[in-house]
Amino acid sequence: MEAVKFYLGEKQQRICGVFAQESLFGTGIAYTITATASVRAILRSNCHHQGGYNAPCQYGDSFYMLLFGIVEILLSQIPDFRSIEWLSIFAAVMSFSYALIGSGLGFLKVIENGTIKGSISGVPASSNLKKLWLAFEALADVAFAYPYTLIVLEIQDTLKSSPPENQTMKAASLKAIVITTFFYLCCGCFGYAAFGDSTPGNLLTGFGFYEPHWLVDLTNACIVLHLVGAYQIFSQPVFATAERWFAYRFTDSGFLNNHISFKIPLFSTFQLNPFRVVFRTMYVVSTTALAMSFPYFNSVLGVLGALNFWPLAVYFPVEMTFSGLCLLVTVVGFIGSLEELTSARSSDEKLM
């Protein structure tokens, strides 16, 4: 947002801020749905392993979403949560683990089938209009799968010097995009090649894979552990923005500035800020409530992708780049013209 303000002005900064905060809020909803789906997948995997693939293994969403929300409320009160370096390392290990396992299971399923399922025309539909809607939703899913606006926040949170931050940022961004693209393509392509038109929206929770059940359980456990921390990583910028704004507007408020201290056995003294407790709790409650109201994995991802792809991944970066290039042309042109003007003036003086 600061970069947008520098290049495009305060009005554009406010618009960018709305999309950025909405994107982070929506990610919290998506993570709640995904983590819950992974918990249910672990239960279903064990149920199918014991009772067979046709066993009636159905589990609801609400209880596990509430449990996830309670955990996030507690974690949101940890001071300086975003500065915990090990969290990013832990999240990266979990991400690599379930991405590798998911890709590997898809690849092995293709070998087991002995053929590549699916077709270039994709999933059939009852009418051309229905097919069009499916194609539109697929584009939204692809847009959500371009997560640079989220990746960049986590990279910024872990930058160190030396080398200079701008060099580290460029190198980390390139590696992140290449690795993320590789795993998305592997999971998507191997998944469709393995299951064709019956590919579940989420390979690891939609029960494309039943065995080995312990590996499916391990993979979904990695997803849950990753998302518990990732929810906080992407919520902290929203918390910080809101708390700065309220502190600016209500500088003398005791509700915002006072702290309540209490001692936790075996731990140091813990301080709670009333506003922080209320706001962060209500934030988590709101994401949990919306996730419970719309527990539809692919549809939610599609909505978020459609809302945020163009403004955050295309418009603002391109406008800032274009503005920067024009500024460079202006500066270079001014320097060149000034030098030419000075040279011409000097030549005239010599002739005189």
Side-chain angles (χ1 to χ4, degrees), residues 159-174:
L159 283 179
K160 291 183 178 180
S161 293
S162 57
E165 283 92 342
N166 62 333
Q167 295 181 16
T168 307
M169 190 75 189
K170 289 179 181 179
S173 298
L174 178 61

Side-chain angles (χ1 to χ4, degrees), residues 41-42 49 59 102 105 108 153 157 174 188 215 239 242 276 286 289 292 301 307 310:
I42 294 173
H49 181 70
Y59 301 91
L105 287 174
L108 292 175
L153 290 170
D157 276 349
L174 178 61
L215 188 58
F239 297 158
R276 177 173 172 160
S286 64
M292 293 172 65
L301 298 191
L307 279 175
W310 183 77

Side-chain angles (χ1 to χ4, degrees), residues 261-274:
S261 300
F262 59 94
K263 175 72 175 174
I264 301 178
L266 304 179
F267 293 93
S268 59
T269 302
F270 196 73
Q271 291 189 331
L272 285 180
N273 173 264

